[in-house]
Amino acid sequence: MSRAALLVLADGRFPAGGHAHSGGAEAAVKAGRVTGAASLEDFCRGRLHTAGLVAAALAAAAVLGVAPGELDAAADARTPSPALRVAARRLGRQLMRAARATWPSDELDAVARQFPKGAHQPVVLGLAARAAGLEPVDAAYCAAYESVSGPASATVRLLSLDPFDATGVLARLAPEVDLVVDRAVEAARRVADDGVDALPASSAPLLEVGAETHAAWAVRLFAS
Amino acid sequence: MSVSGVRATARIVARSDGRGGTSLPVLEGEGPLALRRTRASGGEARVMLVGAMSGPLGGDHFTVEADVEEGTRLRVGSAAATIALPGQAKGEARYDVWLRVADGAELQWLPEQLISAGGSDLRVATHVEVGAGGRLVLREEQVLGRVGEEPGRLTSRLTVRVGGRVVLDQELACGPGALGGWDGPAVLGGHRAVGQLVVVRPEFGSRPVPARVLGEGAVVAPLAGPAVLVSAVAGDALRLRRVLDEALALMA
């Protein structure tokens, strides 16, 4: 394997469509819950330990070879908001397209056929990492970091926040990203013995409420 | 002197009485978990969970099990809120709830709030298995701290299977010692009452309930299966109950 493949997969310019999604930041800004760097940091910290942890564990489990169908069902059960399930599948389909072009593999082809409307993005992320020869921990880092980098860069546009402040938020969260990745990989390794119930199921009520509120808007800057 | 917590189990079995009604051949409480049968309504049996002492305290482990057999209807409530308190025993307290609803059976699980008092440490796990043709209304409400009090630590996981398939698995962790951001703008945003209402009905499979936002802090979310989750946050227990009642009325 080449560790540099992780940089390709994690690169914001990797053509997987993530930039069109705010990770709930647009709804939180509109509701007045995110107003600057401090509240962005709180928002990202909450998202990291909930949706980020779940995504990182799903991605790591996919690298370990857990059946994608089981992981996709586990992702559904951990995503009550239908708007978030739709967004996750749309992102999964776009990532699948980019991953198949970048790291062609029979396994990716088979999963693309199994989920014509797209599988949940973290599951595809794990499969892409697997096709690139990466490790579970790499996929978990990718998913956990994306869970905070998406809202941070979206907030730069939404609030005209200073990009240096947004980057500072991400740097301050780095030790907690490490922690989340450790927990995610440990949980993913338990799936072989205990099934997908061993995956974390941390939830964030305001992300769910915000996602449905956002989906009902006529005009919005981001897709979710 | 070593102090260990209290272990207590309560069990309910609802069985058809053969005349269209529901009998309760098993209705066993223990220690702090007492069960009382209350007046039945139509073919529905009703049970009240009565706390016979305070708790759960640190180190306690309570388990409640209900089996709702085919063709029966059971409604379970509680006489008062449950208050998690700090105890003299070391370690967290645990409260496990196991609910099984057979094909063609119906369970309404409507306990009063769980209040996480300052200094307490409680882990709640609720496992629900509903048969493919079963019906469920389940309400859980968590209140973080008594009036003007910082909450204790509370972790609450809710897993619902319908026809053998997991339709909902979610965990909420809050209070001191919980991982970061729980009170921030992505999770609770300073709200002190949080609740879930799960409704399972076979007809939701062909006629799903549309997603809907209720006010500032609640959402009606159709799950991937014949079930709906209402997820809500509110400033206090009264406002939380009001929004969950409103959501349930929408599905009537």
Side-chain angles (χ1 to χ4, degrees), chain B residues 203-231:
Chain B
E203 59 267 30
F204 288 165
S206 51
R207 278 180 288 124
V209 171
R212 177 167 180 173
V213 176
L214 297 173
E216 294 272 289
V219 63
V220 178
L223 301 175
V228 172
L229 171 73
V230 182
S231 183

PDB file of all heavy atoms in Angstrom, chain B residues 203-231:
ATOM      1  N   GLU B 203     -48.888  -0.756   8.951  1.00  0.00           N
ATOM      2  CA  GLU B 203     -49.356   0.024   7.790  1.00  0.00           C
ATOM      3  C   GLU B 203     -48.375   1.123   7.372  1.00  0.00           C
ATOM      4  O   GLU B 203     -48.439   1.626   6.259  1.00  0.00           O
ATOM      5  CB  GLU B 203     -50.752   0.615   8.038  1.00  0.00           C
ATOM      6  CG  GLU B 203     -50.886   1.541   9.229  1.00  0.00           C
ATOM      7  CD  GLU B 203     -51.341   0.815  10.498  1.00  0.00           C
ATOM      8  OE1 GLU B 203     -51.012  -0.394  10.652  1.00  0.00           O
ATOM      9  OE2 GLU B 203     -52.010   1.436  11.338  1.00  0.00           O
ATOM     10  N   PHE B 204     -47.431   1.489   8.254  1.00  0.00           N
ATOM     11  CA  PHE B 204     -46.416   2.484   7.865  1.00  0.00           C
ATOM     12  C   PHE B 204     -45.530   1.943   6.736  1.00  0.00           C
ATOM     13  O   PHE B 204     -44.884   2.713   6.029  1.00  0.00           O
ATOM     14  CB  PHE B 204     -45.520   2.860   9.048  1.00  0.00           C
ATOM     15  CG  PHE B 204     -46.181   3.717  10.094  1.00  0.00           C
ATOM     16  CD1 PHE B 204     -45.597   3.874  11.342  1.00  0.00           C
ATOM     17  CD2 PHE B 204     -47.380   4.380   9.838  1.00  0.00           C
ATOM     18  CE1 PHE B 204     -46.194   4.669  12.321  1.00  0.00           C
ATOM     19  CE2 PHE B 204     -47.990   5.175  10.809  1.00  0.00           C
ATOM     20  CZ  PHE B 204     -47.385   5.309  12.051  1.00  0.00           C
ATOM     21  N   GLY B 205     -45.489   0.600   6.584  1.00  0.00           N
ATOM     22  CA  GLY B 205     -44.677   0.013   5.523  1.00  0.00           C
ATOM     23  C   GLY B 205     -45.150   0.445   4.148  1.00  0.00           C
ATOM     24  O   GLY B 205     -44.342   0.752   3.268  1.00  0.00           O
ATOM     25  N   SER B 206     -46.474   0.487   3.953  1.00  0.00           N
ATOM     26  CA  SER B 206     -46.998   0.871   2.635  1.00  0.00           C
ATOM     27  C   SER B 206     -47.391   2.350   2.594  1.00  0.00           C
ATOM     28  O   SER B 206     -47.412   2.963   1.537  1.00  0.00           O
ATOM     29  CB  SER B 206     -48.199  -0.004   2.277  1.00  0.00           C
ATOM     30  OG  SER B 206     -49.129  -0.007   3.334  1.00  0.00           O
ATOM     31  N   ARG B 207     -47.722   2.922   3.776  1.00  0.00           N
ATOM     32  CA  ARG B 207     -48.104   4.341   3.810  1.00  0.00           C
ATOM     33  C   ARG B 207     -47.253   5.058   4.840  1.00  0.00           C
ATOM     34  O   ARG B 207     -47.687   5.321   5.967  1.00  0.00           O
ATOM     35  CB  ARG B 207     -49.594   4.490   4.168  1.00  0.00           C
ATOM     36  CG  ARG B 207     -50.519   4.298   2.969  1.00  0.00           C
ATOM     37  CD  ARG B 207     -51.986   4.447   3.390  1.00  0.00           C
ATOM     38  NE  ARG B 207     -52.444   3.318   4.177  1.00  0.00           N
ATOM     39  CZ  ARG B 207     -52.971   3.402   5.393  1.00  0.00           C
ATOM     40  NH1 ARG B 207     -53.091   4.558   6.005  1.00  0.00           N
ATOM     41  NH2 ARG B 207     -53.380   2.321   6.016  1.00  0.00           N
ATOM     42  N   PRO B 208     -46.008   5.419   4.459  1.00  0.00           N
ATOM     43  CA  PRO B 208     -45.126   6.051   5.441  1.00  0.00           C
ATOM     44  C   PRO B 208     -45.646   7.432   5.873  1.00  0.00           C
ATOM     45  O   PRO B 208     -46.263   8.141   5.073  1.00  0.00           O
ATOM     46  CB  PRO B 208     -43.784   6.162   4.723  1.00  0.00           C
ATOM     47  CG  PRO B 208     -44.005   5.756   3.320  1.00  0.00           C
ATOM     48  CD  PRO B 208     -45.386   5.241   3.153  1.00  0.00           C
ATOM     49  N   VAL B 209     -45.383   7.775   7.117  1.00  0.00           N
ATOM     50  CA  VAL B 209     -45.708   9.107   7.622  1.00  0.00           C
ATOM     51  C   VAL B 209     -44.689  10.085   7.039  1.00  0.00           C
ATOM     52  O   VAL B 209     -43.497   9.799   7.032  1.00  0.00           O
ATOM     53  CB  VAL B 209     -45.599   9.095   9.170  1.00  0.00           C
ATOM     54  CG1 VAL B 209     -45.719  10.489   9.751  1.00  0.00           C
ATOM     55  CG2 VAL B 209     -46.641   8.162   9.763  1.00  0.00           C
ATOM     56  N   PRO B 210     -45.122  11.224   6.500  1.00  0.00           N
ATOM     57  CA  PRO B 210     -44.133  12.165   5.969  1.00  0.00           C
ATOM     58  C   PRO B 210     -43.294  12.809   7.070  1.00  0.00           C
ATOM     59  O   PRO B 210     -43.774  12.984   8.196  1.00  0.00           O
ATOM     60  CB  PRO B 210     -44.981  13.236   5.257  1.00  0.00           C
ATOM     61  CG  PRO B 210     -46.370  13.062   5.760  1.00  0.00           C
ATOM     62  CD  PRO B 210     -46.508  11.688   6.331  1.00  0.00           C
ATOM     63  N   ALA B 211     -42.054  13.152   6.747  1.00  0.00           N
ATOM     64  CA  ALA B 211     -41.194  13.852   7.696  1.00  0.00           C
ATOM     65  C   ALA B 211     -41.795  15.226   7.956  1.00  0.00           C
ATOM     66  O   ALA B 211     -42.402  15.829   7.076  1.00  0.00           O
ATOM     67  CB  ALA B 211     -39.787  13.995   7.126  1.00  0.00           C
ATOM     68  N   ARG B 212     -41.619  15.701   9.185  1.00  0.00           N
ATOM     69  CA  ARG B 212     -42.232  16.976   9.536  1.00  0.00           C
ATOM     70  C   ARG B 212     -41.488  17.588  10.714  1.00  0.00           C
ATOM     71  O   ARG B 212     -41.095  16.888  11.645  1.00  0.00           O
ATOM     72  CB  ARG B 212     -43.680  16.686   9.914  1.00  0.00           C
ATOM     73  CG  ARG B 212     -44.457  17.862  10.371  1.00  0.00           C
ATOM     74  CD  ARG B 212     -45.919  17.505  10.398  1.00  0.00           C
ATOM     75  NE  ARG B 212     -46.655  18.675  10.848  1.00  0.00           N
ATOM     76  CZ  ARG B 212     -47.965  18.751  10.857  1.00  0.00           C
ATOM     77  NH1 ARG B 212     -48.694  17.737  10.431  1.00  0.00           N
ATOM     78  NH2 ARG B 212     -48.562  19.836  11.271  1.00  0.00           N
ATOM     79  N   VAL B 213     -41.308  18.889  10.666  1.00  0.00           N
ATOM     80  CA  VAL B 213     -40.662  19.586  11.778  1.00  0.00           C
ATOM     81  C   VAL B 213     -41.761  20.177  12.647  1.00  0.00           C
ATOM     82  O   VAL B 213     -42.725  20.743  12.140  1.00  0.00           O
ATOM     83  CB  VAL B 213     -39.732  20.691  11.244  1.00  0.00           C
ATOM     84  CG1 VAL B 213     -39.141  21.485  12.395  1.00  0.00           C
ATOM     85  CG2 VAL B 213     -38.620  20.089  10.399  1.00  0.00           C
ATOM     86  N   LEU B 214     -41.637  20.009  13.964  1.00  0.00           N
ATOM     87  CA  LEU B 214     -42.618  20.580  14.893  1.00  0.00           C
ATOM     88  C   LEU B 214     -41.916  21.641  15.721  1.00  0.00           C
ATOM     89  O   LEU B 214     -41.118  21.321  16.600  1.00  0.00           O
ATOM     90  CB  LEU B 214     -43.185  19.502  15.816  1.00  0.00           C
ATOM     91  CG  LEU B 214     -43.980  18.363  15.165  1.00  0.00           C
ATOM     92  CD1 LEU B 214     -44.321  17.311  16.208  1.00  0.00           C
ATOM     93  CD2 LEU B 214     -45.251  18.903  14.533  1.00  0.00           C
ATOM     94  N   GLY B 215     -42.185  22.891  15.417  1.00  0.00           N
ATOM     95  CA  GLY B 215     -41.574  23.980  16.195  1.00  0.00           C
ATOM     96  C   GLY B 215     -40.071  24.018  16.025  1.00  0.00           C
ATOM     97  O   GLY B 215     -39.528  23.593  15.012  1.00  0.00           O
ATOM     98  N   GLU B 216     -39.392  24.506  17.055  1.00  0.00           N
ATOM     99  CA  GLU B 216     -37.954  24.747  16.972  1.00  0.00           C
ATOM    100  C   GLU B 216     -37.117  23.492  17.219  1.00  0.00           C
ATOM    101  O   GLU B 216     -36.009  23.383  16.725  1.00  0.00           O
ATOM    102  CB  GLU B 216     -37.553  25.774  18.041  1.00  0.00           C
ATOM    103  CG  GLU B 216     -38.122  27.147  17.848  1.00  0.00           C
ATOM    104  CD  GLU B 216     -37.215  28.001  16.972  1.00  0.00           C
ATOM    105  OE1 GLU B 216     -36.142  28.370  17.463  1.00  0.00           O
ATOM    106  OE2 GLU B 216     -37.579  28.258  15.824  1.00  0.00           O
ATOM    107  N   GLY B 217     -37.667  22.558  18.004  1.00  0.00           N
ATOM    108  CA  GLY B 217     -36.787  21.495  18.489  1.00  0.00           C
ATOM    109  C   GLY B 217     -37.316  20.091  18.343  1.00  0.00           C
ATOM    110  O   GLY B 217     -36.894  19.205  19.077  1.00  0.00           O
ATOM    111  N   ALA B 218     -38.218  19.838  17.410  1.00  0.00           N
ATOM    112  CA  ALA B 218     -38.746  18.478  17.305  1.00  0.00           C
ATOM    113  C   ALA B 218     -38.946  18.102  15.848  1.00  0.00           C
ATOM    114  O   ALA B 218     -39.256  18.942  15.005  1.00  0.00           O
ATOM    115  CB  ALA B 218     -40.077  18.364  18.051  1.00  0.00           C
ATOM    116  N   VAL B 219     -38.760  16.808  15.582  1.00  0.00           N
ATOM    117  CA  VAL B 219     -38.914  16.338  14.213  1.00  0.00           C
ATOM    118  C   VAL B 219     -39.617  14.975  14.229  1.00  0.00           C
ATOM    119  O   VAL B 219     -39.380  14.153  15.109  1.00  0.00           O
ATOM    120  CB  VAL B 219     -37.533  16.265  13.503  1.00  0.00           C
ATOM    121  CG1 VAL B 219     -36.602  15.278  14.166  1.00  0.00           C
ATOM    122  CG2 VAL B 219     -37.689  15.924  12.034  1.00  0.00           C
ATOM    123  N   VAL B 220     -40.523  14.808  13.269  1.00  0.00           N
ATOM    124  CA  VAL B 220     -41.171  13.520  13.049  1.00  0.00           C
ATOM    125  C   VAL B 220     -40.402  12.879  11.894  1.00  0.00           C
ATOM    126  O   VAL B 220     -40.415  13.391  10.777  1.00  0.00           O
ATOM    127  CB  VAL B 220     -42.652  13.698  12.641  1.00  0.00           C
ATOM    128  CG1 VAL B 220     -43.307  12.343  12.363  1.00  0.00           C
ATOM    129  CG2 VAL B 220     -43.417  14.451  13.726  1.00  0.00           C
ATOM    130  N   ALA B 221     -39.699  11.772  12.169  1.00  0.00           N
ATOM    131  CA  ALA B 221     -38.819  11.183  11.155  1.00  0.00           C
ATOM    132  C   ALA B 221     -39.250   9.760  10.825  1.00  0.00           C
ATOM    133  O   ALA B 221     -39.147   8.877  11.688  1.00  0.00           O
ATOM    134  CB  ALA B 221     -37.377  11.193  11.659  1.00  0.00           C
ATOM    135  N   PRO B 222     -39.749   9.516   9.609  1.00  0.00           N
ATOM    136  CA  PRO B 222     -40.036   8.136   9.210  1.00  0.00           C
ATOM    137  C   PRO B 222     -38.729   7.359   9.081  1.00  0.00           C
ATOM    138  O   PRO B 222     -37.801   7.816   8.415  1.00  0.00           O
ATOM    139  CB  PRO B 222     -40.728   8.295   7.849  1.00  0.00           C
ATOM    140  CG  PRO B 222     -40.323   9.643   7.348  1.00  0.00           C
ATOM    141  CD  PRO B 222     -40.046  10.497   8.557  1.00  0.00           C
ATOM    142  N   LEU B 223     -38.649   6.207   9.748  1.00  0.00           N
ATOM    143  CA  LEU B 223     -37.418   5.415   9.733  1.00  0.00           C
ATOM    144  C   LEU B 223     -37.411   4.489   8.517  1.00  0.00           C
ATOM    145  O   LEU B 223     -38.399   4.389   7.789  1.00  0.00           O
ATOM    146  CB  LEU B 223     -37.331   4.607  11.031  1.00  0.00           C
ATOM    147  CG  LEU B 223     -37.343   5.459  12.307  1.00  0.00           C
ATOM    148  CD1 LEU B 223     -37.386   4.578  13.544  1.00  0.00           C
ATOM    149  CD2 LEU B 223     -36.137   6.398  12.357  1.00  0.00           C
ATOM    150  N   ALA B 224     -36.285   3.808   8.303  1.00  0.00           N
ATOM    151  CA  ALA B 224     -36.187   2.862   7.192  1.00  0.00           C
ATOM    152  C   ALA B 224     -36.835   1.554   7.636  1.00  0.00           C
ATOM    153  O   ALA B 224     -36.171   0.604   8.009  1.00  0.00           O
ATOM    154  CB  ALA B 224     -34.715   2.662   6.820  1.00  0.00           C
ATOM    155  N   GLY B 225     -38.157   1.524   7.622  1.00  0.00           N
ATOM    156  CA  GLY B 225     -38.935   0.393   8.114  1.00  0.00           C
ATOM    157  C   GLY B 225     -40.292   0.927   8.539  1.00  0.00           C
ATOM    158  O   GLY B 225     -40.517   2.131   8.476  1.00  0.00           O
ATOM    159  N   PRO B 226     -41.211   0.051   8.998  1.00  0.00           N
ATOM    160  CA  PRO B 226     -42.557   0.521   9.333  1.00  0.00           C
ATOM    161  C   PRO B 226     -42.611   1.213  10.687  1.00  0.00           C
ATOM    162  O   PRO B 226     -43.344   0.801  11.585  1.00  0.00           O
ATOM    163  CB  PRO B 226     -43.383  -0.771   9.320  1.00  0.00           C
ATOM    164  CG  PRO B 226     -42.407  -1.821   9.731  1.00  0.00           C
ATOM    165  CD  PRO B 226     -41.062  -1.404   9.202  1.00  0.00           C
ATOM    166  N   ALA B 227     -41.828   2.254  10.865  1.00  0.00           N
ATOM    167  CA  ALA B 227     -41.702   2.910  12.163  1.00  0.00           C
ATOM    168  C   ALA B 227     -41.382   4.385  11.997  1.00  0.00           C
ATOM    169  O   ALA B 227     -40.830   4.801  10.969  1.00  0.00           O
ATOM    170  CB  ALA B 227     -40.600   2.229  12.975  1.00  0.00           C
ATOM    171  N   VAL B 228     -41.732   5.144  13.013  1.00  0.00           N
ATOM    172  CA  VAL B 228     -41.492   6.584  13.023  1.00  0.00           C
ATOM    173  C   VAL B 228     -40.810   6.934  14.333  1.00  0.00           C
ATOM    174  O   VAL B 228     -41.166   6.394  15.378  1.00  0.00           O
ATOM    175  CB  VAL B 228     -42.837   7.352  12.935  1.00  0.00           C
ATOM    176  CG1 VAL B 228     -42.627   8.840  13.139  1.00  0.00           C
ATOM    177  CG2 VAL B 228     -43.499   7.106  11.594  1.00  0.00           C
ATOM    178  N   LEU B 229     -39.846   7.836  14.269  1.00  0.00           N
ATOM    179  CA  LEU B 229     -39.240   8.378  15.483  1.00  0.00           C
ATOM    180  C   LEU B 229     -39.600   9.851  15.580  1.00  0.00           C
ATOM    181  O   LEU B 229     -39.419  10.595  14.619  1.00  0.00           O
ATOM    182  CB  LEU B 229     -37.714   8.256  15.441  1.00  0.00           C
ATOM    183  CG  LEU B 229     -36.980   8.995  16.575  1.00  0.00           C
ATOM    184  CD1 LEU B 229     -37.148   8.265  17.896  1.00  0.00           C
ATOM    185  CD2 LEU B 229     -35.504   9.186  16.252  1.00  0.00           C
ATOM    186  N   VAL B 230     -40.114  10.248  16.738  1.00  0.00           N
ATOM    187  CA  VAL B 230     -40.224  11.674  17.031  1.00  0.00           C
ATOM    188  C   VAL B 230     -39.092  11.989  17.988  1.00  0.00           C
ATOM    189  O   VAL B 230     -38.977  11.372  19.047  1.00  0.00           O
ATOM    190  CB  VAL B 230     -41.579  12.029  17.676  1.00  0.00           C
ATOM    191  CG1 VAL B 230     -41.656  13.532  17.908  1.00  0.00           C
ATOM    192  CG2 VAL B 230     -42.726  11.536  16.813  1.00  0.00           C
ATOM    193  N   SER B 231     -38.235  12.897  17.589  1.00  0.00           N
ATOM    194  CA  SER B 231     -37.084  13.266  18.396  1.00  0.00           C
ATOM    195  C   SER B 231     -37.263  14.721  18.785  1.00  0.00           C
ATOM    196  O   SER B 231     -37.536  15.556  17.929  1.00  0.00           O
ATOM    197  CB  SER B 231     -35.830  13.072  17.538  1.00  0.00           C
ATOM    198  OG  SER B 231     -34.684  13.355  18.280  1.00  0.00           O
TER     199      SER B 231
END
